[in-house]
Amino acid sequence: MSQLQARFFTKDKRFVVDDVPFSIPAASEVGDLSNVINQLLLAKNASHSKVDFDFLVRGQFLRSSLSFHMETEGISTVRPDWMILTGSYDKTARIWSVEGKAVMTVAGHTDVVKDVAWVKRDGLTSLLLTASLDQTVLMWEWNSERNKLKARHCCRGHTGSVDTVATDPTRSKFCSGSWDKMLKIWSAVPTDEADESDTSAVSSVLWCDSEEVCSASWDHTIRVWDIETGGTKTTLMGSKVFNCISYSPLCRRLASGSADRHIRLWDPRTKDGSLVLLSLTSHTGWVTAVKWAPSHEHQLVSGSLDNLVKLWDTRSCKAPLYDLAAHEDKVFCVDWTESGLMLSGGADNKLYTYKYCQTDAGA
Amino acid sequence: MKKVREKTAKKRSKEEEEEEEEQIFNFKDKPAGKEEEDEDLSDSEESVFSGLEDSGSDSEEDEKESDDNDDEDDDDVTAVESKQPKQTEEEEEKEEVVGGVTEREEEEKKEDEYEHDSSDEEDIRNTVGNIPMEWYKDFPHIGYNLDGKKIFKPIRNKDELDDFLDKMENPDYWRTVHDKQTGSDIVLSDEQVELVNRLQKGQFGDVNFNEYQPSVEFFSSDVMIHPVTNRPADKRSFIPSLIEKEKVSKLVHAIKMGWIKPRRVEDDTRGRFYDLWAGEDSSILGRHKMHLPAPKIPLPGHQESYNPPPEYLFTEEELALWEQQDASDRKLPFVPVKFSSLRQVPAFSRFIHERFERCLDLYLCPRQRKMRVNVNPEDLIPKLPKPKDLQPFPTTQSLVYRGHSGLVRSISVSPSGQWLASGSDDGSVRFWEVCSSRCMKTVQVGGAVKRPVCLSTCRPHSYVASSCECGRAVHQVAWHAKGDYLASVMPDHSSHLQVLIHQLSRRRSQNPFRKNKGLVQCVSFHPVRPYFFVATQRSVRIYNLVKQEMTKKLQANSKWISSMAVHPGGDHVICGSYDCRLSWFDLDLSTKPYKMLRHHKKAVRGAAYHRSYPLFASASDDGSVIVCHGTVYNDLMQNPLIVPVKVLRGHVITHDLGVLDVTFHPTQPWVFSSGADATIRLFT
């Protein structure tokens, strides 16, 4: 965490600065921030004389460095204006604001967009990926400030539809899985690729670690790959087709949704494979999407072809916490925002967001 | 008991004899004699009782007596003869004496009756005893009487001549007896002669005695009030005998000390006994070991009853029939007859006959042991594995692909398993994404013409062939495994151009058959070898494309073949037919179906094999898809294992049509079915 985005407010008319986020080094302290403000005011008004400011962060005086202060006060770097990226069968991807406004339409693919992913969301420009049925992955650069979109790279190489794409934690690489049974790892900056072969269509990929890629496939296996060697580290054997997997760094478990309506939890560290820790059974159709909560160790959300999104707590594996019955058709994807909102998209062309409070969930 | 009675009877007879003698001797004392008789009677009765009472104590005596009596009986006559002359003599000579003696005897009798009664006691007139009388031949006397005086011989001795004269002249000669002891002749009176005659005949001496008088039955069936003997049981009968105990202990002691040795067992070493059949062949012995019990006589039924229910009785026609029939043909060997009571049932007239037949049956009928095999009917059912053990196979409906507006005639899945193509009566071909059931593309082929569209996706490329109305209806297309050839079927009764094989790379078509062999239903390429399967209405012909000849003709035992599928191994074929049957052919086995599956209620419209899993499915007009497990073994000796595992329902029957086509996912154990309700369904 090197840079932080911050906005500055004041009630004093004399010291007002622009209401835009500024990127500030995390290590900066009160003096540094005062300098920044003074510089801004000086740029606006040449007659400005230097003033020493004090800063309140959520009603607390900033005494140490910003990063330390945030650590001690438990403030996360969640931005309220995280954008939501969706890909759709109409060959486009869209960027949405949390409030539900379509901010941007990403059009460029010649076929259905199967998966999308953010590469980088820091700063004003963000990088995003769209994987499509037209066998390509496109990398886009989106300037949120100017709301401009530019296609950066077109990643060709797959011979089948690219069904899934995932970015690694260092934001420098991404991985794509395709129907041509290949898993390709691409470097986000210079275009570079490494191939790994699966035996059947790769349905879902994700990065467990900066060194490990985990892929779920229709050949009933979940494989953990080492990207350095390009070989399989662990193979978890299932009995049914896996549609999706999700990894939680908090509890170090894999959750998989398969075609037999069960959500299974795996421990990827076991070497012998085929060890199901837990089965969550409540869906009546294929489970098409599972996602662990980013901030909660035990919660995961799942979407299924039975039009339901379910919120689970792994401590009560018999029944889901909530059935979110908003969709009128098949649910194809679910996700969490970092602020704790749940998202789900389905065949009824709608994207729903759900908010989970301690007591209730609202759409 | 009998003996006792006999004895008493003898005794009695003897007494009576003597009494009679007495009667003969002294008629004066008749009353006394009668008294005596009465007493005797009572006595005899008493004696009977007494004999009963203490039979044990004086049995020896009795026996002796009886022996003596017997002796006496033997020489009864002589005794009488010997006695009688003397008595008469005495009568003549000393009447008083005799009378005195009798008086005395009477008195004695009154005192002690047994004294007179004893058999030893004889009326002795001569006291010389039982000696040969020749010894007195030279003496004038013949002996001595009781008083010790000499008894003199008669004065004149008779010689032979006298005797003869006497015999001739004396009319009483025959009744005259000579008393050797006294040497006198005694003429017997009429009563005495009568008595002798009676005794000689073995009759009682007394004329008046009724030997058949009614006897009193002691031991009868009636329970008497009192016991015959009222004597309590001895104490010794309750306590163990000390003497016996002593004896036993002595024996035991002797055995312990070794004084008594057990009887030596005779050793058999000398071979007194030997096994007669030791050298016999064991097979013969084994045959004899088999014992066959005689068959049991069947138990009598209601017909045999003396009072059978009326339905068992013969009607007149039955009776007439029975009489007409030959005895061996009759169902019953007798006519059931009804009697009002068992009492009126006559003797069984056929008894001998029946016994005879039974005997004939027992010894004339050759018998052999019938090895009865008890078979549990459930064991005859072949052991099929449970469907649970044959996982994976499709079980539930997962996705429904909606979009067509007409019946979906045919479906096909891309080799990768990502895409699904379907042809429908609405004149369009639609392409679907399998996992999301989204229709990705619609191709209108037939325009407004609603014609069945049949298609197939070839393996290496993703060409899709579809057929539609172009002059004539193309019924089916089939791809070769390499993807270059394509066969199409246009059913036509008259033409020989029913089947065409098209080559894609050279864009040309050829007609492989010169003759029309019947209405072609469907065709298929062999997955590996250059064979071509052509299904006509009743049979499947297999052609070798290289040699250009027919190699085999499979006879499906069905009326009209609707569909055909070739196993990916190429050695097995399934044929669905419109008469609800699915037949499995094993090409190595026979041209007849290896198995006929009649699980469907209505016409079978589609059949498919899975490419990798041992599964096959059939679709029918009854709206169901039946998935069967069919394992094929490499071993030629082992027949395929066919187990129906699942009936998949979901399609709605529209216009009497149910499921029209069925196909498997190429990699997953999933089955797609297309129906007349314009939907395609995926079962996983």
Side-chain angles (χ1 to χ4, degrees), chain A residues 89 112 114 133 161 179 218 220 241 259 286 305 330 332, chain B residues 398-399 416 418-419 433 436-438 440 668 670 684:
Chain A
Y89 274 90
V112 171
K114 293 290 281 191
L133 210 66
S161 70
W179 261 97
W218 275 31
H220 307 178
V241 163
W286 288 11
L305 293 186
K330 298 176 266 291
F332 284 138
Chain B
S398 298
L399 285 169
S416 65
Q418 194 182 7
W419 306 108
E433 192 182 33
S436 61
S437 78
R438 183 181 171 87
M440 304 299 279
Q668 305 296 334
W670 298 347
T684 59

PDB file of all heavy atoms in Angstrom, chain A residues 89 112 114 133 161 179 218 220 241 259 286 305 330 332, chain B residues 398-399 416 418-419 433 436-438 440 668 670 684:
ATOM      1  N   TYR A  89     -23.807 -11.171 -22.731  1.00  0.00           N
ATOM      2  CA  TYR A  89     -23.975 -11.916 -23.960  1.00  0.00           C
ATOM      3  C   TYR A  89     -24.250 -11.021 -25.161  1.00  0.00           C
ATOM      4  O   TYR A  89     -24.362 -11.502 -26.273  1.00  0.00           O
ATOM      5  CB  TYR A  89     -25.105 -12.943 -23.800  1.00  0.00           C
ATOM      6  CG  TYR A  89     -24.633 -14.255 -23.189  1.00  0.00           C
ATOM      7  CD1 TYR A  89     -24.631 -14.452 -21.826  1.00  0.00           C
ATOM      8  CD2 TYR A  89     -24.172 -15.281 -24.012  1.00  0.00           C
ATOM      9  CE1 TYR A  89     -24.191 -15.631 -21.275  1.00  0.00           C
ATOM     10  CE2 TYR A  89     -23.722 -16.458 -23.465  1.00  0.00           C
ATOM     11  CZ  TYR A  89     -23.732 -16.636 -22.100  1.00  0.00           C
ATOM     12  OH  TYR A  89     -23.287 -17.804 -21.589  1.00  0.00           O
ATOM     13  N   VAL A 112     -19.634 -12.991 -27.739  1.00  0.00           N
ATOM     14  CA  VAL A 112     -20.122 -12.854 -26.369  1.00  0.00           C
ATOM     15  C   VAL A 112     -18.954 -12.668 -25.398  1.00  0.00           C
ATOM     16  O   VAL A 112     -17.942 -13.362 -25.500  1.00  0.00           O
ATOM     17  CB  VAL A 112     -20.918 -14.117 -26.010  1.00  0.00           C
ATOM     18  CG1 VAL A 112     -21.253 -14.149 -24.556  1.00  0.00           C
ATOM     19  CG2 VAL A 112     -22.145 -14.216 -26.867  1.00  0.00           C
ATOM     20  N   LYS A 114     -17.436 -13.425 -22.065  1.00  0.00           N
ATOM     21  CA  LYS A 114     -17.697 -14.485 -21.097  1.00  0.00           C
ATOM     22  C   LYS A 114     -17.223 -14.117 -19.699  1.00  0.00           C
ATOM     23  O   LYS A 114     -17.787 -14.574 -18.716  1.00  0.00           O
ATOM     24  CB  LYS A 114     -16.980 -15.772 -21.532  1.00  0.00           C
ATOM     25  CG  LYS A 114     -17.524 -16.375 -22.802  1.00  0.00           C
ATOM     26  CD  LYS A 114     -18.899 -16.956 -22.603  1.00  0.00           C
ATOM     27  CE  LYS A 114     -18.812 -18.320 -21.936  1.00  0.00           C
ATOM     28  NZ  LYS A 114     -20.119 -18.988 -21.987  1.00  0.00           N
ATOM     29  N   LEU A 133     -15.894 -15.049 -26.303  1.00  0.00           N
ATOM     30  CA  LEU A 133     -16.082 -16.242 -27.108  1.00  0.00           C
ATOM     31  C   LEU A 133     -15.296 -16.179 -28.409  1.00  0.00           C
ATOM     32  O   LEU A 133     -15.093 -17.189 -29.072  1.00  0.00           O
ATOM     33  CB  LEU A 133     -17.584 -16.349 -27.408  1.00  0.00           C
ATOM     34  CG  LEU A 133     -18.217 -17.708 -27.605  1.00  0.00           C
ATOM     35  CD1 LEU A 133     -18.154 -18.480 -26.317  1.00  0.00           C
ATOM     36  CD2 LEU A 133     -19.671 -17.521 -27.993  1.00  0.00           C
ATOM     37  N   SER A 161     -13.242 -20.692 -27.121  1.00  0.00           N
ATOM     38  CA  SER A 161     -13.781 -19.532 -26.429  1.00  0.00           C
ATOM     39  C   SER A 161     -13.095 -19.410 -25.074  1.00  0.00           C
ATOM     40  O   SER A 161     -12.876 -20.395 -24.387  1.00  0.00           O
ATOM     41  CB  SER A 161     -15.280 -19.684 -26.254  1.00  0.00           C
ATOM     42  OG  SER A 161     -15.547 -20.684 -25.320  1.00  0.00           O
ATOM     43  N   TRP A 179     -11.974 -23.006 -23.632  1.00  0.00           N
ATOM     44  CA  TRP A 179     -12.567 -24.270 -24.052  1.00  0.00           C
ATOM     45  C   TRP A 179     -11.583 -25.135 -24.840  1.00  0.00           C
ATOM     46  O   TRP A 179     -11.844 -26.297 -25.081  1.00  0.00           O
ATOM     47  CB  TRP A 179     -13.803 -24.003 -24.917  1.00  0.00           C
ATOM     48  CG  TRP A 179     -15.062 -24.121 -24.145  1.00  0.00           C
ATOM     49  CD1 TRP A 179     -15.775 -23.117 -23.587  1.00  0.00           C
ATOM     50  CD2 TRP A 179     -15.736 -25.325 -23.827  1.00  0.00           C
ATOM     51  NE1 TRP A 179     -16.856 -23.606 -22.926  1.00  0.00           N
ATOM     52  CE2 TRP A 179     -16.871 -24.969 -23.070  1.00  0.00           C
ATOM     53  CE3 TRP A 179     -15.514 -26.667 -24.084  1.00  0.00           C
ATOM     54  CZ2 TRP A 179     -17.757 -25.905 -22.576  1.00  0.00           C
ATOM     55  CZ3 TRP A 179     -16.402 -27.597 -23.596  1.00  0.00           C
ATOM     56  CH2 TRP A 179     -17.507 -27.223 -22.854  1.00  0.00           C
ATOM     57  N   TRP A 218     -14.066 -29.031 -16.569  1.00  0.00           N
ATOM     58  CA  TRP A 218     -15.170 -29.961 -16.809  1.00  0.00           C
ATOM     59  C   TRP A 218     -14.713 -31.410 -16.764  1.00  0.00           C
ATOM     60  O   TRP A 218     -15.519 -32.308 -16.893  1.00  0.00           O
ATOM     61  CB  TRP A 218     -15.803 -29.672 -18.169  1.00  0.00           C
ATOM     62  CG  TRP A 218     -16.841 -28.583 -18.104  1.00  0.00           C
ATOM     63  CD1 TRP A 218     -16.847 -27.529 -17.245  1.00  0.00           C
ATOM     64  CD2 TRP A 218     -18.011 -28.471 -18.896  1.00  0.00           C
ATOM     65  NE1 TRP A 218     -17.927 -26.749 -17.449  1.00  0.00           N
ATOM     66  CE2 TRP A 218     -18.686 -27.302 -18.483  1.00  0.00           C
ATOM     67  CE3 TRP A 218     -18.560 -29.202 -19.925  1.00  0.00           C
ATOM     68  CZ2 TRP A 218     -19.875 -26.879 -19.040  1.00  0.00           C
ATOM     69  CZ3 TRP A 218     -19.752 -28.774 -20.494  1.00  0.00           C
ATOM     70  CH2 TRP A 218     -20.407 -27.624 -20.048  1.00  0.00           C
ATOM     71  N   HIS A 220     -13.788 -32.810 -14.221  1.00  0.00           N
ATOM     72  CA  HIS A 220     -14.053 -33.195 -12.833  1.00  0.00           C
ATOM     73  C   HIS A 220     -12.837 -32.998 -11.925  1.00  0.00           C
ATOM     74  O   HIS A 220     -12.727 -33.680 -10.918  1.00  0.00           O
ATOM     75  CB  HIS A 220     -14.526 -34.646 -12.722  1.00  0.00           C
ATOM     76  CG  HIS A 220     -15.685 -34.980 -13.605  1.00  0.00           C
ATOM     77  ND1 HIS A 220     -16.224 -36.238 -13.665  1.00  0.00           N
ATOM     78  CD2 HIS A 220     -16.421 -34.235 -14.437  1.00  0.00           C
ATOM     79  CE1 HIS A 220     -17.228 -36.252 -14.526  1.00  0.00           C
ATOM     80  NE2 HIS A 220     -17.369 -35.037 -15.008  1.00  0.00           N
ATOM     81  N   VAL A 241     -18.915 -32.173 -12.923  1.00  0.00           N
ATOM     82  CA  VAL A 241     -18.348 -31.008 -13.607  1.00  0.00           C
ATOM     83  C   VAL A 241     -18.270 -29.827 -12.636  1.00  0.00           C
ATOM     84  O   VAL A 241     -19.210 -29.561 -11.903  1.00  0.00           O
ATOM     85  CB  VAL A 241     -19.246 -30.654 -14.814  1.00  0.00           C
ATOM     86  CG1 VAL A 241     -18.982 -29.269 -15.296  1.00  0.00           C
ATOM     87  CG2 VAL A 241     -19.064 -31.674 -15.890  1.00  0.00           C
ATOM     88  N   ALA A 259     -22.009 -29.186 -11.138  1.00  0.00           N
ATOM     89  CA  ALA A 259     -23.249 -29.419 -11.869  1.00  0.00           C
ATOM     90  C   ALA A 259     -24.208 -30.317 -11.097  1.00  0.00           C
ATOM     91  O   ALA A 259     -25.261 -30.642 -11.623  1.00  0.00           O
ATOM     92  CB  ALA A 259     -22.931 -30.054 -13.215  1.00  0.00           C
ATOM     93  N   TRP A 286     -27.793 -26.430 -11.142  1.00  0.00           N
ATOM     94  CA  TRP A 286     -26.338 -26.305 -11.204  1.00  0.00           C
ATOM     95  C   TRP A 286     -25.910 -25.070 -10.430  1.00  0.00           C
ATOM     96  O   TRP A 286     -26.540 -24.015 -10.529  1.00  0.00           O
ATOM     97  CB  TRP A 286     -25.887 -26.094 -12.647  1.00  0.00           C
ATOM     98  CG  TRP A 286     -25.974 -27.263 -13.526  1.00  0.00           C
ATOM     99  CD1 TRP A 286     -26.581 -28.434 -13.268  1.00  0.00           C
ATOM    100  CD2 TRP A 286     -25.425 -27.342 -14.844  1.00  0.00           C
ATOM    101  NE1 TRP A 286     -26.452 -29.261 -14.332  1.00  0.00           N
ATOM    102  CE2 TRP A 286     -25.742 -28.617 -15.325  1.00  0.00           C
ATOM    103  CE3 TRP A 286     -24.705 -26.474 -15.646  1.00  0.00           C
ATOM    104  CZ2 TRP A 286     -25.361 -29.040 -16.584  1.00  0.00           C
ATOM    105  CZ3 TRP A 286     -24.327 -26.888 -16.896  1.00  0.00           C
ATOM    106  CH2 TRP A 286     -24.641 -28.170 -17.362  1.00  0.00           C
ATOM    107  N   LEU A 305     -28.581 -22.101 -11.221  1.00  0.00           N
ATOM    108  CA  LEU A 305     -29.540 -22.076 -12.314  1.00  0.00           C
ATOM    109  C   LEU A 305     -30.975 -22.117 -11.821  1.00  0.00           C
ATOM    110  O   LEU A 305     -31.902 -21.987 -12.606  1.00  0.00           O
ATOM    111  CB  LEU A 305     -29.288 -23.255 -13.262  1.00  0.00           C
ATOM    112  CG  LEU A 305     -27.985 -23.237 -14.043  1.00  0.00           C
ATOM    113  CD1 LEU A 305     -27.964 -24.384 -15.026  1.00  0.00           C
ATOM    114  CD2 LEU A 305     -27.829 -21.938 -14.804  1.00  0.00           C
ATOM    115  N   LYS A 330     -31.968 -17.673 -14.735  1.00  0.00           N
ATOM    116  CA  LYS A 330     -30.761 -18.298 -14.236  1.00  0.00           C
ATOM    117  C   LYS A 330     -29.744 -17.265 -13.752  1.00  0.00           C
ATOM    118  O   LYS A 330     -29.572 -16.216 -14.385  1.00  0.00           O
ATOM    119  CB  LYS A 330     -30.129 -19.158 -15.326  1.00  0.00           C
ATOM    120  CG  LYS A 330     -31.016 -20.290 -15.771  1.00  0.00           C
ATOM    121  CD  LYS A 330     -30.429 -21.065 -16.895  1.00  0.00           C
ATOM    122  CE  LYS A 330     -30.911 -20.568 -18.244  1.00  0.00           C
ATOM    123  NZ  LYS A 330     -32.314 -20.843 -18.510  1.00  0.00           N
ATOM    124  N   PHE A 332     -25.934 -16.342 -13.296  1.00  0.00           N
ATOM    125  CA  PHE A 332     -24.683 -16.807 -13.892  1.00  0.00           C
ATOM    126  C   PHE A 332     -23.448 -16.381 -13.110  1.00  0.00           C
ATOM    127  O   PHE A 332     -22.409 -16.998 -13.219  1.00  0.00           O
ATOM    128  CB  PHE A 332     -24.557 -16.287 -15.332  1.00  0.00           C
ATOM    129  CG  PHE A 332     -25.420 -17.039 -16.294  1.00  0.00           C
ATOM    130  CD1 PHE A 332     -26.131 -16.397 -17.287  1.00  0.00           C
ATOM    131  CD2 PHE A 332     -25.520 -18.417 -16.196  1.00  0.00           C
ATOM    132  CE1 PHE A 332     -26.928 -17.110 -18.168  1.00  0.00           C
ATOM    133  CE2 PHE A 332     -26.311 -19.124 -17.075  1.00  0.00           C
ATOM    134  CZ  PHE A 332     -27.021 -18.475 -18.061  1.00  0.00           C
TER     135      PHE A 332
ATOM    136  N   SER B 398     -31.577 -30.715 -15.932  1.00  0.00           N
ATOM    137  CA  SER B 398     -30.850 -29.534 -15.482  1.00  0.00           C
ATOM    138  C   SER B 398     -31.231 -28.294 -16.270  1.00  0.00           C
ATOM    139  O   SER B 398     -31.405 -27.230 -15.684  1.00  0.00           O
ATOM    140  CB  SER B 398     -29.350 -29.747 -15.629  1.00  0.00           C
ATOM    141  OG  SER B 398     -28.949 -30.798 -14.827  1.00  0.00           O
ATOM    142  N   LEU B 399     -31.293 -28.431 -17.558  1.00  0.00           N
ATOM    143  CA  LEU B 399     -31.514 -27.243 -18.371  1.00  0.00           C
ATOM    144  C   LEU B 399     -32.573 -27.538 -19.416  1.00  0.00           C
ATOM    145  O   LEU B 399     -32.702 -28.670 -19.887  1.00  0.00           O
ATOM    146  CB  LEU B 399     -30.221 -26.836 -19.075  1.00  0.00           C
ATOM    147  CG  LEU B 399     -29.150 -26.169 -18.202  1.00  0.00           C
ATOM    148  CD1 LEU B 399     -27.870 -26.076 -18.972  1.00  0.00           C
ATOM    149  CD2 LEU B 399     -29.605 -24.793 -17.764  1.00  0.00           C
ATOM    150  N   SER B 416     -16.678 -30.865 -28.977  1.00  0.00           N
ATOM    151  CA  SER B 416     -16.117 -30.354 -27.732  1.00  0.00           C
ATOM    152  C   SER B 416     -17.138 -30.378 -26.603  1.00  0.00           C
ATOM    153  O   SER B 416     -16.775 -30.326 -25.436  1.00  0.00           O
ATOM    154  CB  SER B 416     -15.637 -28.924 -27.941  1.00  0.00           C
ATOM    155  OG  SER B 416     -16.755 -28.099 -28.230  1.00  0.00           O
ATOM    156  N   GLN B 418     -19.417 -28.053 -26.273  1.00  0.00           N
ATOM    157  CA  GLN B 418     -19.792 -26.691 -25.898  1.00  0.00           C
ATOM    158  C   GLN B 418     -21.084 -26.262 -26.566  1.00  0.00           C
ATOM    159  O   GLN B 418     -21.834 -25.470 -26.008  1.00  0.00           O
ATOM    160  CB  GLN B 418     -18.661 -25.743 -26.286  1.00  0.00           C
ATOM    161  CG  GLN B 418     -18.776 -24.379 -25.650  1.00  0.00           C
ATOM    162  CD  GLN B 418     -17.660 -23.462 -26.094  1.00  0.00           C
ATOM    163  OE1 GLN B 418     -16.869 -23.811 -26.969  1.00  0.00           O
ATOM    164  NE2 GLN B 418     -17.593 -22.292 -25.488  1.00  0.00           N
ATOM    165  N   TRP B 419     -21.310 -26.780 -27.744  1.00  0.00           N
ATOM    166  CA  TRP B 419     -22.431 -26.297 -28.540  1.00  0.00           C
ATOM    167  C   TRP B 419     -23.411 -27.419 -28.832  1.00  0.00           C
ATOM    168  O   TRP B 419     -23.041 -28.586 -28.909  1.00  0.00           O
ATOM    169  CB  TRP B 419     -21.941 -25.705 -29.870  1.00  0.00           C
ATOM    170  CG  TRP B 419     -20.909 -24.654 -29.666  1.00  0.00           C
ATOM    171  CD1 TRP B 419     -19.590 -24.759 -29.943  1.00  0.00           C
ATOM    172  CD2 TRP B 419     -21.118 -23.365 -29.106  1.00  0.00           C
ATOM    173  NE1 TRP B 419     -18.941 -23.610 -29.597  1.00  0.00           N
ATOM    174  CE2 TRP B 419     -19.872 -22.732 -29.078  1.00  0.00           C
ATOM    175  CE3 TRP B 419     -22.235 -22.683 -28.633  1.00  0.00           C
ATOM    176  CZ2 TRP B 419     -19.693 -21.439 -28.585  1.00  0.00           C
ATOM    177  CZ3 TRP B 419     -22.071 -21.402 -28.162  1.00  0.00           C
ATOM    178  CH2 TRP B 419     -20.806 -20.793 -28.133  1.00  0.00           C
ATOM    179  N   GLU B 433     -25.663 -22.625 -26.542  1.00  0.00           N
ATOM    180  CA  GLU B 433     -24.539 -22.884 -25.657  1.00  0.00           C
ATOM    181  C   GLU B 433     -25.017 -23.878 -24.612  1.00  0.00           C
ATOM    182  O   GLU B 433     -26.043 -23.653 -23.951  1.00  0.00           O
ATOM    183  CB  GLU B 433     -24.052 -21.605 -24.982  1.00  0.00           C
ATOM    184  CG  GLU B 433     -22.730 -21.804 -24.307  1.00  0.00           C
ATOM    185  CD  GLU B 433     -22.259 -20.551 -23.586  1.00  0.00           C
ATOM    186  OE1 GLU B 433     -23.092 -19.793 -23.066  1.00  0.00           O
ATOM    187  OE2 GLU B 433     -21.062 -20.338 -23.536  1.00  0.00           O
ATOM    188  N   SER B 436     -25.239 -22.685 -20.736  1.00  0.00           N
ATOM    189  CA  SER B 436     -26.107 -21.610 -20.295  1.00  0.00           C
ATOM    190  C   SER B 436     -27.488 -21.677 -20.942  1.00  0.00           C
ATOM    191  O   SER B 436     -28.325 -20.843 -20.652  1.00  0.00           O
ATOM    192  CB  SER B 436     -25.459 -20.264 -20.635  1.00  0.00           C
ATOM    193  OG  SER B 436     -25.283 -20.178 -22.032  1.00  0.00           O
ATOM    194  N   SER B 437     -27.697 -22.646 -21.810  1.00  0.00           N
ATOM    195  CA  SER B 437     -28.966 -22.839 -22.516  1.00  0.00           C
ATOM    196  C   SER B 437     -29.368 -21.599 -23.309  1.00  0.00           C
ATOM    197  O   SER B 437     -30.540 -21.324 -23.485  1.00  0.00           O
ATOM    198  CB  SER B 437     -30.088 -23.264 -21.562  1.00  0.00           C
ATOM    199  OG  SER B 437     -30.583 -22.173 -20.846  1.00  0.00           O
ATOM    200  N   ARG B 438     -28.354 -20.835 -23.730  1.00  0.00           N
ATOM    201  CA  ARG B 438     -28.659 -19.640 -24.510  1.00  0.00           C
ATOM    202  C   ARG B 438     -28.585 -19.988 -25.986  1.00  0.00           C
ATOM    203  O   ARG B 438     -27.659 -20.667 -26.437  1.00  0.00           O
ATOM    204  CB  ARG B 438     -27.659 -18.534 -24.187  1.00  0.00           C
ATOM    205  CG  ARG B 438     -27.961 -17.246 -24.921  1.00  0.00           C
ATOM    206  CD  ARG B 438     -26.936 -16.203 -24.582  1.00  0.00           C
ATOM    207  NE  ARG B 438     -27.098 -15.037 -25.452  1.00  0.00           N
ATOM    208  CZ  ARG B 438     -27.923 -14.023 -25.177  1.00  0.00           C
ATOM    209  NH1 ARG B 438     -28.625 -14.036 -24.068  1.00  0.00           N
ATOM    210  NH2 ARG B 438     -28.019 -13.010 -26.012  1.00  0.00           N
ATOM    211  N   MET B 440     -27.509 -19.172 -29.350  1.00  0.00           N
ATOM    212  CA  MET B 440     -26.492 -18.264 -29.854  1.00  0.00           C
ATOM    213  C   MET B 440     -26.769 -17.875 -31.294  1.00  0.00           C
ATOM    214  O   MET B 440     -26.335 -16.818 -31.745  1.00  0.00           O
ATOM    215  CB  MET B 440     -25.113 -18.913 -29.774  1.00  0.00           C
ATOM    216  CG  MET B 440     -24.740 -19.372 -28.384  1.00  0.00           C
ATOM    217  SD  MET B 440     -24.664 -18.053 -27.202  1.00  0.00           S
ATOM    218  CE  MET B 440     -23.061 -17.388 -27.535  1.00  0.00           C
ATOM    219  N   GLN B 668     -19.331 -35.606 -21.090  1.00  0.00           N
ATOM    220  CA  GLN B 668     -19.965 -35.754 -19.790  1.00  0.00           C
ATOM    221  C   GLN B 668     -21.077 -36.795 -19.867  1.00  0.00           C
ATOM    222  O   GLN B 668     -21.612 -37.041 -20.946  1.00  0.00           O
ATOM    223  CB  GLN B 668     -20.563 -34.415 -19.338  1.00  0.00           C
ATOM    224  CG  GLN B 668     -19.582 -33.275 -19.315  1.00  0.00           C
ATOM    225  CD  GLN B 668     -18.470 -33.496 -18.314  1.00  0.00           C
ATOM    226  OE1 GLN B 668     -18.646 -34.207 -17.332  1.00  0.00           O
ATOM    227  NE2 GLN B 668     -17.326 -32.901 -18.573  1.00  0.00           N
ATOM    228  N   TRP B 670     -24.066 -36.798 -19.767  1.00  0.00           N
ATOM    229  CA  TRP B 670     -25.294 -36.013 -19.867  1.00  0.00           C
ATOM    230  C   TRP B 670     -26.017 -36.429 -21.134  1.00  0.00           C
ATOM    231  O   TRP B 670     -25.389 -36.793 -22.128  1.00  0.00           O
ATOM    232  CB  TRP B 670     -24.981 -34.522 -19.956  1.00  0.00           C
ATOM    233  CG  TRP B 670     -24.266 -33.949 -18.776  1.00  0.00           C
ATOM    234  CD1 TRP B 670     -24.085 -34.530 -17.564  1.00  0.00           C
ATOM    235  CD2 TRP B 670     -23.603 -32.684 -18.713  1.00  0.00           C
ATOM    236  NE1 TRP B 670     -23.371 -33.720 -16.737  1.00  0.00           N
ATOM    237  CE2 TRP B 670     -23.051 -32.574 -17.413  1.00  0.00           C
ATOM    238  CE3 TRP B 670     -23.427 -31.636 -19.604  1.00  0.00           C
ATOM    239  CZ2 TRP B 670     -22.347 -31.456 -17.002  1.00  0.00           C
ATOM    240  CZ3 TRP B 670     -22.724 -30.521 -19.187  1.00  0.00           C
ATOM    241  CH2 TRP B 670     -22.187 -30.432 -17.891  1.00  0.00           C
ATOM    242  N   THR B 684     -28.682 -34.302 -16.477  1.00  0.00           N
ATOM    243  CA  THR B 684     -27.347 -34.580 -15.959  1.00  0.00           C
ATOM    244  C   THR B 684     -27.441 -35.489 -14.749  1.00  0.00           C
ATOM    245  O   THR B 684     -28.463 -35.577 -14.113  1.00  0.00           O
ATOM    246  CB  THR B 684     -26.627 -33.300 -15.540  1.00  0.00           C
ATOM    247  OG1 THR B 684     -27.418 -32.680 -14.546  1.00  0.00           O
ATOM    248  CG2 THR B 684     -26.455 -32.383 -16.714  1.00  0.00           C
TER     249      THR B 684
END
